[in-house]
Amino acid sequence: PWLLLMMPPRHGKSEQVSRQFPAYVFGQHPDWEIIHTSYAVSLPEEFSREIRENLRTQEYQALFPNTVLHAEFQSIDAWRLARYGGGYTASGVGGGIIGKGAHVFIIDDPVKNVEEAESQILRDATWKWLTSVASTRMAPGGGVLIIMQCWHEDDVAGRVQEVLSTAGGFNLEVVSYPALAEVDEWLARPE
């Protein structure tokens, strides 16, 4: 399944999905692997540090005692969990993830800015990476979670909606929280 979560900037999408969600997933499934990407590797590496620190807290360990970091594999770009073999990989969009697998593939802000969004060459390169590399990394039953603001009708969000909504066999859910109301919700309420 694919989930596309679109929210405007500074509305908490990275906090909820990139910082908190992976720790929760590992608490429930310490055998799962997560690949986390963004327009540059520095962003998922920042999240990697925060997630690892969260997993080390007494509060987290009290809730999820089976989710323990592996003592020997704790680099910032890839780390493992002890006992069950799950782990986390941080990469930039277009980066090297060959040989890695994912039960959860998170793509957080694949577009850096409006200049990138307006570049046909960069949009095509991102799409090619998503369809030829990223989508092949999925473990059976795994899912893709894309969180971003829509920059251009032909960016990743636009293409995913266009292509997957017409392709057979894909399960795509789109959740959009617009910055401005698309309809006057007050007037649209039934009485």
Side-chain angles (χ1 to χ4, degrees):
W2 290 61
L3 174 62
L4 173 59
L5 175 59
M6 293 186 295
M7 294 172 70
R10 312 304 304 162
H11 277 70
K13 61 185 181 294
S14 291
E15 177 64 32
Q16 295 171 22
V17 175
S18 293
R19 288 185 176 94
Q20 304 302 323
F21 181 63
Y24 177 77
V25 168
F26 287 134
Q28 298 297 312
H29 304 281
D31 58 325
W32 281 15
E33 295 176 298
I34 293 176
I35 295 176
H36 197 161
T37 64
S38 185
Y39 62 84
V41 70
S42 59
L43 191 58
E45 285 181 346
E46 176 185 326
F47 298 139
S48 173
R49 285 183 184 92
E50 294 173 14
I51 296 163
R52 285 186 321 180
E53 290 308 311
N54 189 0
L55 268 59
R56 291 179 178 130
T57 65
Q58 291 179 350
E59 295 84 2
Y60 185 89
Q61 285 301 300
L63 288 171
F64 305 113
N66 291 323
T67 306
V68 177
L69 290 167
H70 195 290
E72 296 178 19
F73 300 102
Q74 294 189 31
S75 71
I76 207 63
D77 63 335
W79 43 267
R80 296 276 156 244
L81 298 173
R83 297 185 209 150
Y84 297 99
Y88 179 96
T89 300
S91 178
V93 168
I97 55 172
I98 300 298
K100 306 288 184 178
H103 294 85
V104 179
F105 197 111
I106 300 171
I107 304 170
D108 182 349
D109 285 331
V111 179
K112 180 179 178 180
N113 54 36
V114 71
E115 289 82 16
E116 280 192 11
E118 291 178 353
S119 167
Q120 182 72 45
I121 292 169
L122 292 176
R123 288 195 314 268
D124 289 345
T126 301
W127 185 251
K128 183 176 181 181
W129 173 82
L130 178 64
T131 57
S132 65
V133 177
S135 63
T136 66
R137 304 291 87 216
M138 298 307 302
V144 176
L145 172 54
I146 302 172
I147 56 173
M148 64 183 295
Q149 66 183 32
C150 189
W151 289 89
H152 189 280
E153 63 187 22
D154 188 42
D155 65 9
V156 170
R159 287 194 195 186
V160 163
Q161 291 178 82
E162 180 182 334
V163 172
L164 295 187
S165 65
T166 60
F170 281 97
N171 181 7
L172 172 66
E173 180 79 24
V174 178
V175 178
S176 179
Y177 298 102
L180 300 172
E182 295 173 341
V183 297
D184 188 332
E185 294 151 354
W186 181 258
L187 295 176
R189 290 183 183 182
E191 297 201 22

